[in-house]
Amino acid sequence: METHFKIYVYQEGEEPLVHSGPCKDIYAIEGRFIQELQGRNPFLTSDPEKAHAFFLPFSVAHMVSYLYSDNSKDMSPLKRVVRDYIDVVNLKYPYWNRSGGADHFMLTCHDWGPHVSRAHQDLSTNVIRVLCNANVSEGYIPYKDASLPEINLIGGHIPTELGGPSGPERQFLAFFAGGDHGPVRPVLFEFWKEKDSDVRVFQSLPPGVSYQDYMKKSKFCLCPGGYEVNSPRIVEAIYNDCVPVIIADSFVLPFSDILDWSTFSIHVLEKDIPSLKIILESVSMEKYLRMQDRVRQVQRHFLLNQPPKRYDVFHMILHSVWLRRLNILIRDY
């Protein structure tokens, strides 16, 4: 991939809706990726005839910030921008028509990405959609689309203290703290909120308690879906050498084409939340230490370096796009 894969980025459009995106906090990966494909990245080509894939550089997160009226539930302004953008590149270039958009890709970490992609039929059915909201129950297509990890860069920076103690040195069996929203968390709170000294589940942390310290003191970090299936807690757990526990039935995990998540995470079905402690206690310390070691090994694949480094999240995203592009035969007419 590194020697052959070339991407053409359409130059049409203006900031902040195109060629720009948020570079810190919950949607940071969206802006950082768009940013990396604006400069002298070795994967870029200025000649579309040499490109294997074409990037649509609009930011759904910025569209929401600049175009959406709070509480209106009206996504039509966002969809209009996307539809107009595709119409422009469709009329100006031959590449969209020759494949129906199948050799094009978009990337967004906003929950509304899948909904906005329905602005254009080819965008939802043909284009490679790189999405944080990789929910098969909402139209995510695993062989065509790619799952994107949600990385919360507080202040725009990766935490400086990566890693954490080994399993025997961790005080708690499991930990979660977060808001009560979405379909999964109310069930988690019903059974586990502040009810067990070893399964530490909070809606709000007690005063003076550090979220990151709790992750480093816990063997397992619970990662239930929120409003949507993905959660930044998965990457936060990996950063802190805490084995992630995925609780989101319809979620396709990031980079699962090449990463075997069963070796470094636990998947608990939503219906099994009442048995959460039994499931986690059944993991022997020997197995846990193997899983924790794998967490440390995969950590580099979830680092958002600037500039990018081999095998980091930027390269993993491009590899996911590359794999899907290999499935597409483009005929010249």
Side-chain angles (χ1 to χ4, degrees), residues 210-226:
S210 164
Y211 179 85
Q212 191 170 6
D213 283 349
Y214 246 115
M215 280 197 153
K216 292 184 184 297
K217 290 178 180 178
S218 303
K219 295 181 179 71
F220 297 98
C221 290
L222 307 181
C223 307

Side-chain angles (χ1 to χ4, degrees), residues 149-161:
E150 192 168 329
I151 302 175
N152 187 10
L153 287 189
I154 299 173
H157 306 289
I158 293 174
T160 54
E161 296 182 7

